[in-house]
Amino acid sequence: MSVAIRHDDLRKRNRAMVIAAVRQAQQPSRTEIAGSTGLSHSTISAISSDLIAEGILLEAKGPEASSQKRGRPQVALELNPDAAEIVTVVLSLNFLSVAIVDYSGKVVSEEERKLETLTMSRDGLIGECVAMVRRQIALRRSAGRRVMRIGMAVQGITDSTSRAMLWTPITAHTHIAFADIIEEATGIPVTVENDCNMIAVALRWRKPERYHNDFIAVLLSHGIGMGMVLKGELFTGTQSSGGEFGHMIHRPDGALCRCGRRGCVEAYAGNYAIWRKAKQASEDDAPLADISDGDMRMLADVARAGPGPEREAFRKAGEAIGFGLGSLFALIDPAPVAVVGIGATAFDLIEPALREAIDKTAGGQHNKAISFDTEPNELPLIREGSTMQALTFVDQEIFAPGASPATVGHKVA
C-alpha cells in the first residue's frame, strides 16, 4: 500500500513539474521540458499525452518550438486557458482590485475602485470585498467558466496559515478572517497573503536567473514593506507573514510612524515621511493619509534640481533603508534586491545615502556585491504573485492524476 502511495505522489509531482515548465517557458517543446525538469523523454511524453487528453495542455498552433535540430519538427505545448480560472484580490490603502485570470495566466476580467479604507466600517470593508469578488465570479459562471481558487493580497500582516489579515496600516480594523468569509460567500478555496510576499513570488517567476534562491523585494511606497526568499523558500514568520522591514526601529523614540509607534524605518522612508521632511514639518506631525504618485514625482524633480529640504528628505530615506538593509545583510549575507513602487523612480536620490549607511554596518563588507534593480509599479507584481500562487495550487492539488478539469467542481453562492 505504501509503495502505491509513493508512486501516486511521484506522478503528482512530475505532472506539476511539467505544468510549471510549460507555464514558465510558454510554448516549450517536449525536449525543452525534459531539459528544464530533468525528467526522461518517455516520462514527458506520457505525462503530456495525459494532460492533453484531460484538457489541461494543448499542442500549440502556429510557429514551431524553438529547437533547431534536424529531423521531426518539435511540437510546442501550451496551457489550455479554458482549463480553469482563478481570482486575484488586491487590497491596499484606499484601493481594491479584483481580477479573473485564466489558466494560461491572462487577465480576462477585472474591476477596480477607490475606497476610503481608513474610515470605512469593518462590515463596510468586508462587504465591498465580498461583493466585488462575487460579482466577478458570477460573470464568469454565466459564461460557463470554472473558478477554482481565490488569492488575496493585503497590505499588512497576515497569519502564518494564510487565512486572515491580522493588522494593517490601511484600516483600524484588525484580525479580519477574509479567507473564511470569502469562502463562505463563494464556496471557493481562499488564501490571504502579504502583498510584499506576492511581489517576491512574482519576481521569481519573471526573472528566475536573477531572483532564485536568495533575494529581497523592498516596497518603497506610502508604506515600506519587504518580501524575502531564502534558500529557495518564501520567508514567513512562525505566527504571521513576517518581513515587516518598514517597522524595524531606525531611531528609538524618533519620528512618528503611521503604525502609532516612533522611529520606524517607514517613519523616515515612506512617502508620507519624505513629504513631511521635505515640507519641514515636525516629526511629531500625524502622517498624511495618502500622497499621490504624481506629487512624489514632482517632489523628486525638485530634489534633483538642487540642494534643499526635498533632497535632504530623500537622503534621510536612503539612510534609514540602508541601515536596515545593512543590519539584515549582517545576518543573512548579501542578496539581490528589487526596489519596487513609486520610490523606485527616485532611487537615484536614495541610493547614495543607502549605500553609505550600509557601509557603516556589519553588512558593509559586502556593499560592492549588493545589486539593486528597480520596478516602479507594484500592483502588477502583487497581482502576478497572487496569480502564480493560486495557479500553482490548481496545478498541484486540483489537477492531480485522474482529476481532470471536467471532474473538478465548485459551488458559487
Side-chain angles (χ1 to χ4, degrees):
M1 183 66 180
S2 61
V3 173
I5 291 173
R6 286 197 295 271
H7 182 258
D8 285 345
D9 287 344
L10 181 62
R11 287 183 63 206
K12 182 176 177 181
R13 180 184 69 86
N14 289 346
R15 282 166 61 99
M17 287 175 64
V18 170
I19 294 171
V22 176
R23 193 181 301 287
Q24 182 73 64
Q26 299 184 4
Q27 296 193 353
S29 68
R30 290 169 175 81
T31 298
E32 290 167 332
I33 295 171
S36 65
T37 62
L39 298 174
S40 69
H41 287 270
S42 60
T43 298
I44 298 295
S45 180
I47 291 174
S48 61
S49 294
D50 288 344
L51 293 173
I52 289 169
E54 294 167 12
I56 298 171
L57 293 184
L58 300 172
E59 290 192 337
K61 298 178 181 179
E64 296 173 353
S66 60
S67 176
Q68 300 298 314
K69 293 182 180 180
R70 294 182 179 181
R72 184 178 178 181
Q74 294 285 308
V75 178
L77 298 176
E78 64 182 3
L79 297 166
N80 181 1
D82 297 334
E85 291 182 347
I86 59 95
V87 181
T88 64
V89 184
V90 179
L91 178 62
S92 58
L93 179 66
N94 296 335
F95 178 78
L96 175 64
S97 168
V98 175
I100 302 288
V101 184
D102 69 23
Y103 193 59
S104 70
K106 179 182 177 182
V107 175
V108 295
S109 178
E110 61 184 312
E111 184 176 350
E112 298 177 351
R113 66 167 301 184
K114 295 283 286 184
L115 300 176
E116 296 297 329
T117 58
L118 291 168
T119 57
M120 293 180 72
S121 68
R122 185 186 188 93
D123 289 344
L125 181 62
I126 293 170
E128 287 286 353
C129 293
V130 171
M132 192 178 289
V133 170
R134 288 181 56 137
R135 190 157 53 242
Q136 286 296 309
I137 291 173
L139 289 173
R140 304 310 295 164
R141 187 188 188 195
S142 66
R145 304 299 185 183
R146 295 180 305 277
V147 179
M148 295 186 174
R149 189 77 175 178
I150 300 172
M152 183 175 190
V154 299
Q155 186 178 345
I157 302 173
T158 60
D159 70 323
S160 59
T161 59
S162 302
R163 303 293 298 171
M165 181 183 74
L166 302 179
W167 175 87
T168 174
I170 71 172
T171 178
H173 311 301
T174 62
H175 294 83
I176 301 179
F178 275 117
D180 291 342
I181 293 166
I182 296 175
E183 282 180 2
E184 183 176 354
T186 64
I188 300 170
V190 180
T191 55
V192 182
E193 305 278 3
N194 169 265
D195 57 351
C196 291
N197 284 351
M198 294 302 94
I199 289 172
V201 170
L203 288 170
R204 185 158 54 173
W205 278 92
R206 277 194 184 186
K207 298 180 180 179
E209 68 284 353
R210 174 176 169 83
Y211 303 115
H212 185 50
N213 286 330
D214 299 279
F215 67 90
I216 296 166
V218 179
L219 176 63
L220 305 185
S221 186
H222 195 70
I224 303 297
M226 177 178 284
M228 288 191 294
V229 170
L230 301 176
K231 306 301 182 185
E233 298 292 332
L234 185 67
F235 172 80
T236 58
T238 57
Q239 300 180 49
S240 73
S241 51
E244 284 300 307
F245 175 74
H247 300 288
M248 291 171 56
I249 296 299
H250 171 53
R251 295 192 184 281
D253 301 318
L256 180 63
C257 181
R258 63 175 175 158
C259 74
R261 297 179 178 86
R262 289 183 173 274
C264 300
V265 170
E266 185 181 293
Y268 295 87
N271 286 358
Y272 66 84
I274 295 172
W275 188 270
R276 181 170 59 188
K277 181 69 175 177
K279 299 304 179 182
Q280 299 179 289
S282 170
E283 290 186 344
D284 297 330
D285 284 1
L288 293 179
D290 198 2
I291 300 166
S292 72
D293 288 354
D295 284 342
M296 291 304 297
R297 288 192 182 94
M298 286 191 292
L299 195 67
D301 288 341
V302 174
R304 292 186 186 100
E310 296 84 6
R311 183 177 292 183
E312 177 64 10
F314 284 102
R315 191 193 71 78
K316 284 289 188 182
E319 182 181 71
I321 297 164
F323 277 121
L325 285 177
S327 296
L328 179 64
F329 290 140
L331 293 174
I332 66 170
D333 283 345
V337 180
V339 179
V340 181
I342 187 61
T345 63
F347 194 62
D348 58 312
L349 297 167
I350 291 171
E351 184 178 12
L354 185 156
R355 287 194 178 274
E356 286 179 13
I358 289 177
D359 266 335
K360 297 176 182 177
T361 71
Q365 60 184 316
H366 306 299
N367 205 344
K368 292 182 180 179
I370 300 167
S371 62
F372 294 93
D373 201 2
T374 57
E375 298 279 352
N377 189 355
E378 68 268 28
L379 179 59
L381 285 167
I382 295 170
R383 178 181 288 170
E384 186 175 333
S386 297
T387 294
M388 291 307 175
Q389 286 280 83
L391 288 174
T392 299
F393 176 86
V394 174
D395 296 344
Q396 296 177 344
E397 301 298 332
I398 296 180
F399 291 164
S404 69
T407 65
V408 178
H410 75 283
K411 64 179 181 177
V412 177

